[in-house]
Structures are given as structure tokens and as C-alpha cells.
Amino acid sequence: LLDPTITLTTDFGSQSPYVAAMKGVILSVNPSARLMDLTHEIGPQDVRHAAFFLATTVPYFPKTVLHLVVVDPGVGTGRTLLYINLDGRRLLVPDNGCWVALARKIGGSPEVIRLEQTMFWRTAVSSTFHGRDILAPVAGHLTLGIDPHELGPVADHWCDLKLPEPQGGANCLTGEVLFVDRFGNLITNIPGEGIEQFKGHMKIRVGDCEVDRHARTYGEVEPGSLLSLVSSFGLLEIAERDGSAAKRLTAGTGARVVVSSNLPPDG
Amino acid sequence: LLDPTITLTTDFGSQSPYVAAMKGVILSVNPSARLMDLTHEIGPQDVRHAAFFLATTVPYFPKTVLHLVVVDPGVGTGRTLLYINLDGRRLLVPDNGCWVALARKIGGSPEVIRLEQTMFWRTAVSSTFHGRDILAPVAGHLTLGIDPHELGPVADHWCDLKLPEPQGGANCLTGEVLFVDRFGNLITNIPGEGIEQFKGHMKIRVGDCEVDRHARTYGEVEPGSLLSLVSSFGLLEIAERDGSAAKRLTAGTGARVVVSSNLPPDG
Amino acid sequence: LLDPTITLTTDFGSQSPYVAAMKGVILSVNPSARLMDLTHEIGPQDVRHAAFFLATTVPYFPKTVLHLVVVDPGVGTGRTLLYINLDGRRLLVPDNGCWVALARKIGGSPEVIRLEQTMFWRTAVSSTFHGRDILAPVAGHLTLGIDPHELGPVADHWCDLKLPEPQGGANCLTGEVLFVDRFGNLITNIPGEGIEQFKGHMKIRVGDCEVDRHARTYGEVEPGSLLSLVSSFGLLEIAERDGSAAKRLTAGTGARVVVSSNLPPDG
């Protein structure tokens, strides 16, 4: 009745031996573990990218799946490693806040345990690769059914990480691009609900450029046109139909996006 | 007795959260599904690349495997989504013709069903990500054994897509490069049988360059030499031994390839 | 009791149809095979990269796993294909030495068998893709439990491949960079034990640049500082904290690394 599924999310890239070493260690602990790559292309040491990635993907998985995350710029310092339980969804993460945006989305109180019980670790623990030496074997043991409380003490504090939130209010919202996908679509941090107040009279600027069409989907505008829409993750997205908005607007992660009303000030 | 295997072929890239979200949705429907990445590096919205990829890979799989394909420039427009059965091989695809070259290769009459029965979809369907909201859950349900006829009505027409075919005949064949692999080998659309007529007196031109060696395999020519051969997929291939023909000839997808006889016109 | 796990290590890249074709062939032989991607990003035809990769990853796997390796510049020439048993760890490889560094690390006498028995191959064997036509089906049959001695005769010789070894001795060691990871860390061929003699008075040069900090982990130096450390694989590594040593030192694979004492010659 145990789910043997462990997803892997790292910033190791697909060329490195690090991912393969972790897979080997997990299988050595639990030969029946079912490993599933989510991505190994999180930006190097980019904890915010990891946070965005987890918040937009983990909710789609069954609760029984265990998520192993290794984006770990603090490896070998005093930072701890954590087991997290979010309303039944379980993650193993470095304590750098990568899971907090997901927790806010899911709601409720997280249960957090510090990984301190070395009997579930590899015998020799390096100072630069805790993903392989601590997180991977602990993941294996969890899918074998050990009680997470055996892993270490319950924690009552941890690193926070806030994804940038849009600023403004009644007449104007200023947000930024969180992620650029492979099609050059700009995914912003502005929630779809946030722009409803501007419906029918919305003006969007990315840097110096105006995006004057808002649509439900790409196909509603002509090829080559810029448009804004509410993305499949519920966030404001800037796209070019059959093209790349990122190239067209020379905009990347962090680019400023301003949504305002184009009604005259007196309404 | 049901095969739980679902292969995934997309143009999402390996960095995006889109692939992970689809995996989560499939597992939420069928926790025992066995997911297998084929590629997520189809050129963005490149339906012809997808068509070439499917035609060259699906035939190697057992018939019991289900193939999920998301290269979907028409998402959110009126285009439908299809379940395809090709002599027992099953695919789920957007109706853009990406499966038709494979169907021609396999032969026989395809059974095509339009996905219309929303009870097999996610409750909330976005207008920009039908891969996650429709195709993924339908794939999960199919591996649980539902009858494909429950998915919607049988279709009697669909989008066609012709991969470019070589032109010419007795004395000269003009084709083009369909795919450049990581080694810089140029895979053309000219079938191996098409060049047999030129055996022993064949002349091949790619752009302005002549390829004057034809061999059975790379190792038959000296390192650094250009050669043509019949590729492992049965198509004429232009290669450089231990090098990149693509770089050497500055040729990519779509480059013109002319095969002719070097015998004098009177034979 | 048979382990159905087959790992895949190739230089095919993730865009090509070659990996997918191999997966299909394996499943056609053994529908229950459990396929696990290690990497498809070995440098094209880079047998030394493959050797480094296997030596640093295979030891972490359970012995029961079968490793399929396709980095095969000699395909179609007279080179043979081999089944290797290293103290219970099994590999299928082209005979180009890619497994020998791993064998030295594991120790003991390898059992080597030449793949000659065509009944375990695909019926039609191409001259350019033995990964699909020979290694993949043989891997499928091995996970079904056939005796490896049915595959062909025992071999008593094979290609050797020596990874470059550090030179020098008491006062100075000269090595080179074997691998640059995604973070720009330079992994050298100098073993951690080799530098112990210099402890407390070590000087390291990469090209013209001196690396004057040696630490246990990245976090011990300030962000932006260069440091050397013993990597998680036991090899001397040059890194920049929160940055890329490869960029900072414009150093890549093959770059010379010199370790010496900074004590005056007379001690």
C-alpha cells in the first residue's frame, strides 16, 4: 500500500553524474522505488526558480508521491535538511525556503522535521553532496515505510522565501516575470483574479512596450501578434502567437510588468 | 493484463513545469501508470518534427504501449483532440496531422475518435494547456482499461500532414534534410531504395558541395571524410566521419539534397 | 527475483529519436523492463567522458542493475560489443574501453563475453545503430534471465582506455580537469589522498591563476572566492563559491592543474 514513487527536481543539469549517483543510492536502499524525473534544469542554485517550479507542479500529483528536491547553494554550511508534510504531500528539501510558496498555496500548517538521525544516511557523508548522501537514502527509507518522526526532531522554524508579489492596487498593478518558458511566453507573478478589475479597459506594459490585446487563448489573435492571457497556472502571461514574446520584448525573468486601466482618470 | 506504459513526446523542453504537471495528472488518474519520456525537445510547435519523430520511433515499441503527444500550436482554437488506433498502436494527439506519416508507414485504416466526453477530463479545463487538462487524464483512463469509444464519436476526417517527399525520377532525385542529429548527421527524406538505381555511379550534392563517397557505415572512410550512407532508419544520410556534416556543409533542416547519376547522358 | 532495471547512458542527446527507438526495442523484448535514463548528454563520441561518468556513477547502484552504454564511435567497423561482469555488476558496452576505469575502481577480474549469438539480436541489424539492433535486445533478454554465456564466447582481450593520471610525486603533482559540471566546478583527476602531503602548505595553479584557499566545502569561503576542495567523488575540485570557476579561470576539460608545496625548498 506504500507508494514507491519519488520525483526528482534538481539544478544538476542532465549531463552531470550527480543525478545518476542519487538514483543509484535510492535504488540501493529501496530497489522497488519508482523514480520520476521532474526537471534537472532548475537554474543553478536558483532557489526562487525551484520555488516557482514546485508551487506549479506538486499540486497536480497524488498526495502519496514523495518529492525530492536538490537545489542547495548552502550545502556544507550549517543549513539543515528538512522533511516537510503539507496536508499529506511530502517533500525532502534543503532548508532554503524552496517549499514555502507551495505551502502557502496548499494552506494549512506544515509539519516540518529536521533530518538528524544519521542511521538513515549513507555511512560516509561528503560535505558537498547531501543530495546523494542524505536526501537520497532518506527518500529510499521513507518509501519503505519508516515513520518520518524517526528522521529527527520536529522543527518550529525554518527559512522563509517570498516570491516577489505584485504591488499596487485599485488603478495599477506592478508585477514581474517569474519564468520564461521554451516558447518565449512570459509567466508573471500577477494572478488572474488580480486583473479582473481592469476587464475591458486594461493596458499592459512590459518595459517600454505596450501589449494591447487580451485574449483567452493564443488562437484568438493573428499570428505574430502580442497578447496577454491568464496562463494555465492562473497567472498573467504575455505571449506572441506562433512566436516568442521574450525575444520580441527582449524581456526575461525579473522584467517589470505594469497593468493599469486605460480609462481616463475621472472614469 | 493492461499495459500501464504511456510514452510522452512534447515540445515543452526539460526546464518547464509543463511536463511535470502532466505526469502528476496522469498519476492522479492511474497511480500505476508507467511513464516513459521519449523527448521533450521537439522543436517548439514544430509539427513536422513531431511527425518525423513518431514515424521513426513508435514502430519499435510493443503495440500495447500508449503514446501521448503534445505538440499543439492550435491549442485553444477549434482544433479537436484525437485518439488514434493504428493496427493496435494507440496514440493521443492534437488534430494537426503529427501522426499521419506514422500511419502511412504502418498501413491499414486508422480508427480515429474525437475526444469529446468531458467526464474523462480534468474538471477545470484551461484554454492553453489541453495536454495537462484533457490528454493526460484521458491517457490515465485508457491505461485503466476504459473502452476508447467512451471518449467520443468516431471521426471520419482529420488534418493531414505530408512530410516533404523527394521529387524526380529516373536520372535525378531531389530531396531535403528532415533532421540533423547531435552528431551533425543529416537525415534526408530520400529512402534507401530510391538510390539503388544509382548504385556504383551516384553523385550527391548538398547545396554547392559534392559528397563523393557512398559507404555502408562511417568506419569505411577515413576520419574527416564526408560520406553518404543509408541510415539506420532506412533513409539517405550525409555524414562526416568523426565530425559534423552539418557544420562542414553549413546545412540544416530543409537543405536541398540532389542525387544523380555521374554517367555521361548517353550511358 | 530478476531485477528488471536497465540504465541507459548514451551520447545521443535528448532531441534525437535514437534513445526512444532503443527504449521501444527493449520493451518489445521484455515488456516489464524498468528503464532508467542516466544521461544522454555524454559528449558526442567522447569515450573518455563516458568512462568518467560510469566510474563515478555505477558504484552507487545495486549490483543487480544492468547498465547499457552506447557511446560508439566505432559502430560498423570490426569493433565488437561486450557483456561485462565486474564482481556482479553487469554492463553492455561497445569494446572501446569505456568500462575499464570503472573496473579498476571496483577491482577484481572482469568477466568479458563477446556478443556474437545473433539469435538475441534484432532480425535486421543496421550497420550504424548497434545500440538499437544488438545492445538493446540483448539487454531485454538479460533481464528475462538468459545465461550471459549464451550471448557468445568469453573474451580474453579488449580495448583498454586510460583516463589521464596525475604526474609527479613528492613536491609537485600535475593533473588535469576531467569534467566541468553545470555550476562551473572543475573536477580534476587528482585524488583527494594525493594532496594530503601538501596539507597546510598547498599551492594550486590552474593555468596562470593561483587558487589559494583550500576548504572542506563551498560555504567556508566568501561568495565570489575561488577555492579548492575534495569533491564528493573524492577528487580535487576547483570551485568559485556562488559562481563558476570555469568562467572565472576560462578553464575546461583538459586544463592543467598543478599542486605544489609553498614551503621554501629547504623546508
Side-chain angles (χ1 to χ4, degrees):
Chain A
L1 282 160
L2 286 167
D3 186 337
T5 311
I6 301 172
T7 77
L8 301 175
T9 301
T10 78
D11 61 352
F12 292 154
S14 33
Q15 192 183 31
S16 86
Y18 306 130
V19 174
M22 285 181 60
K23 290 181 175 176
V25 169
I26 296 172
L27 290 184
S28 294
V29 173
N30 181 2
S32 301
R34 182 168 66 152
L35 304 182
M36 193 166 291
D37 297 302
L38 295 198
T39 186
H40 301 294
E41 306 291 337
I42 298 293
Q45 308 198 337
D46 189 344
V47 177
R48 278 172 47 165
H49 183 190
F52 170 76
F53 188 92
L54 295 173
T56 48
T57 58
V58 168
Y60 294 99
F61 279 84
K63 281 191 174 182
T64 50
V65 167
L66 176 65
H67 301 279
L68 176 44
V69 184
V70 192
V71 178
D72 192 13
V75 65
T77 64
R79 76 93 190 77
T80 52
L81 295 165
L82 303 174
Y83 163 90
I84 313 281
N85 186 321
L86 300 172
D87 193 27
R89 299 177 189 277
R90 296 164 303 144
L91 296 93
L92 290 169
V93 298
D95 181 17
N96 57 27
C98 63
W99 59 282
V100 178
L102 170 67
R104 284 204 191 91
K105 196 166 177 178
I106 290 179
S109 268
E111 180 185 36
V112 182
I113 288 171
R114 286 214 303 269
L115 306 188
E116 292 191 356
Q117 179 48 268
T118 56
M119 69 174 282
F120 300 110
W121 303 2
R122 289 189 74 227
T123 315
V125 171
S126 70
S127 43
T128 52
F129 194 2
H130 291 173
R132 177 193 68 194
D133 299 335
I134 302 178
L135 295 174
V138 166
H141 285 292
L142 281 169
T143 56
L144 287 171
I146 63 158
D147 181 339
H149 291 95
E150 294 187 52
L151 297 172
V154 170
D156 55 9
H157 62 278
W158 45 79
C159 283
D160 193 9
L161 179 82
K162 286 196 171 66
L163 289 179
E165 297 205 0
Q167 304 298 321
N171 292 311
C172 178
L173 267 177
T174 303
E176 63 180 78
V177 174
L178 283 185
F179 178 69
V180 180
D181 73 16
R182 190 168 179 239
F183 307 101
N185 300 325
L186 309 172
I187 317 296
T188 76
N189 63 344
I190 300 173
E193 311 90 64
I195 61 169
E196 270 170 24
Q197 54 175 320
F198 302 111
K199 215 171 173 178
H201 52 95
M202 185 162 62
K203 201 168 78 177
I204 295 184
R205 297 189 73 84
V206 181
D208 287 340
C209 296
E210 201 152 321
V211 180
D212 50 15
R213 290 291 307 273
H214 188 71
R216 212 179 41 88
T217 187
Y218 314 114
E220 289 178 14
V221 306
E222 314 71 56
S225 296
L226 277 176
L227 74 155
S228 66
L229 71 168
V230 177
S231 84
S232 58
F233 294 113
L235 298 167
L236 181 70
E237 172 181 335
I238 314 295
E240 178 181 313
R241 181 173 172 193
D242 299 345
S244 164
K247 264 192 205 157
R248 166 91 159 260
L249 303 170
T250 53
T253 303
R256 203 161 163 248
V257 178
V258 181
V259 185
S260 59
S261 166
N262 63 12
L263 294 180
D266 295 329
Chain B
L1 282 162
L2 286 167
D3 186 337
T5 310
I6 300 171
T7 76
L8 302 174
T9 301
T10 78
D11 61 353
F12 292 153
S14 33
Q15 193 183 32
S16 86
Y18 306 129
V19 175
M22 286 181 58
K23 290 180 175 176
V25 169
I26 295 172
L27 290 184
S28 294
V29 172
N30 181 2
S32 301
R34 183 167 66 153
L35 304 182
M36 193 166 291
D37 298 303
L38 295 197
T39 187
H40 301 294
E41 306 291 338
I42 297 293
Q45 308 196 338
D46 189 344
V47 177
R48 278 173 44 167
H49 183 190
F52 170 75
F53 187 92
L54 295 172
T56 49
T57 59
V58 168
Y60 294 99
F61 279 84
K63 280 191 175 182
T64 51
V65 166
L66 176 65
H67 301 279
L68 175 45
V69 184
V70 192
V71 178
D72 191 14
V75 65
T77 63
R79 75 94 189 78
T80 52
L81 295 164
L82 303 174
Y83 163 91
I84 312 281
N85 185 323
L86 300 173
D87 192 26
R89 299 177 189 276
R90 296 165 304 143
L91 296 93
L92 290 169
V93 298
D95 181 18
N96 57 27
C98 64
W99 59 280
V100 178
L102 170 67
R104 285 203 189 93
K105 197 165 175 179
I106 290 180
S109 266
E111 179 185 36
V112 181
I113 288 170
R114 287 213 304 271
L115 306 188
E116 293 190 356
Q117 179 48 268
T118 57
M119 68 174 282
F120 300 109
W121 303 3
R122 289 189 74 226
T123 315
V125 171
S126 71
S127 43
T128 53
F129 194 2
H130 291 173
R132 177 193 67 193
D133 299 335
I134 302 178
L135 295 175
V138 166
H141 285 292
L142 282 169
T143 56
L144 287 171
I146 63 158
D147 181 339
H149 291 95
E150 294 187 53
L151 297 172
V154 170
D156 55 8
H157 62 279
W158 45 79
C159 281
D160 194 8
L161 178 82
K162 286 198 171 63
L163 289 180
E165 296 203 3
Q167 305 297 321
N171 292 311
C172 177
L173 266 177
T174 302
E176 63 179 78
V177 173
L178 281 185
F179 178 69
V180 179
D181 72 18
R182 191 168 177 238
F183 308 101
N185 300 324
L186 310 171
I187 316 296
T188 77
N189 63 344
I190 300 173
E193 311 88 67
I195 61 169
E196 269 170 25
Q197 55 176 317
F198 302 112
K199 214 170 172 178
H201 51 94
M202 184 162 64
K203 201 167 78 176
I204 295 184
R205 297 189 73 84
V206 181
D208 286 340
C209 297
E210 198 151 324
V211 180
D212 50 15
R213 291 290 308 272
H214 188 70
R216 211 180 41 89
T217 186
Y218 313 114
E220 288 178 15
V221 306
E222 313 72 53
S225 295
L226 278 176
L227 73 156
S228 67
L229 71 170
V230 177
S231 85
S232 56
F233 294 113
L235 297 167
L236 181 69
E237 171 181 335
I238 314 295
E240 177 181 313
R241 180 172 174 195
D242 300 344
S244 164
K247 264 192 204 157
R248 166 92 158 258
L249 302 171
T250 54
T253 303
R256 202 161 164 251
V257 178
V258 182
V259 184
S260 60
S261 167
N262 63 11
L263 293 181
D266 294 329
Chain C
L1 282 162
L2 285 168
D3 186 338
T5 311
I6 300 172
T7 77
L8 301 174
T9 301
T10 79
D11 61 352
F12 293 153
S14 33
Q15 194 182 30
S16 86
Y18 306 130
V19 174
M22 286 182 57
K23 290 180 175 176
V25 169
I26 295 173
L27 289 183
S28 294
V29 173
N30 180 2
S32 301
R34 181 167 67 152
L35 303 182
M36 191 165 294
D37 297 303
L38 295 198
T39 186
H40 301 296
E41 305 292 337
I42 297 292
Q45 306 197 339
D46 188 344
V47 178
R48 278 173 46 165
H49 184 190
F52 169 76
F53 188 92
L54 295 173
T56 49
T57 59
V58 168
Y60 294 99
F61 278 84
K63 280 190 174 182
T64 50
V65 166
L66 176 65
H67 301 280
L68 176 45
V69 184
V70 192
V71 178
D72 192 13
V75 65
T77 63
R79 75 93 189 79
T80 53
L81 294 164
L82 302 175
Y83 164 90
I84 312 281
N85 185 323
L86 300 173
D87 192 26
R89 299 177 190 277
R90 296 164 303 143
L91 296 93
L92 290 168
V93 297
D95 182 17
N96 57 28
C98 64
W99 60 281
V100 178
L102 171 67
R104 285 203 189 93
K105 196 167 177 177
I106 289 180
S109 267
E111 180 185 37
V112 181
I113 288 170
R114 286 213 304 270
L115 306 187
E116 292 191 356
Q117 178 50 266
T118 57
M119 69 174 281
F120 299 110
W121 303 2
R122 290 189 73 226
T123 314
V125 171
S126 70
S127 43
T128 53
F129 194 2
H130 291 173
R132 178 192 68 195
D133 299 335
I134 301 178
L135 295 174
V138 166
H141 286 291
L142 281 169
T143 56
L144 287 172
I146 64 157
D147 181 340
H149 291 96
E150 294 187 53
L151 298 171
V154 171
D156 55 8
H157 62 278
W158 46 79
C159 282
D160 194 8
L161 178 81
K162 286 197 171 65
L163 289 179
E165 297 205 1
Q167 304 298 320
N171 292 311
C172 178
L173 268 177
T174 302
E176 63 179 79
V177 173
L178 282 185
F179 178 69
V180 180
D181 72 16
R182 191 167 178 239
F183 308 100
N185 300 324
L186 310 172
I187 316 296
T188 75
N189 63 345
I190 300 174
E193 312 89 65
I195 61 168
E196 271 171 24
Q197 53 174 321
F198 301 111
K199 214 172 174 178
H201 52 94
M202 185 162 63
K203 202 168 76 178
I204 296 183
R205 295 188 75 82
V206 181
D208 286 340
C209 296
E210 198 153 323
V211 181
D212 49 16
R213 291 292 307 273
H214 188 71
R216 210 179 43 89
T217 186
Y218 313 114
E220 290 177 15
V221 305
E222 312 72 56
S225 296
L226 277 177
L227 74 155
S228 66
L229 72 168
V230 177
S231 85
S232 57
F233 293 114
L235 298 167
L236 181 70
E237 171 180 335
I238 313 295
E240 178 182 311
R241 180 171 174 195
D242 299 345
S244 165
K247 264 191 205 157
R248 166 94 158 256
L249 302 170
T250 53
T253 302
R256 204 163 163 247
V257 179
V258 181
V259 185
S260 59
S261 167
N262 62 12
L263 293 180
D266 295 330

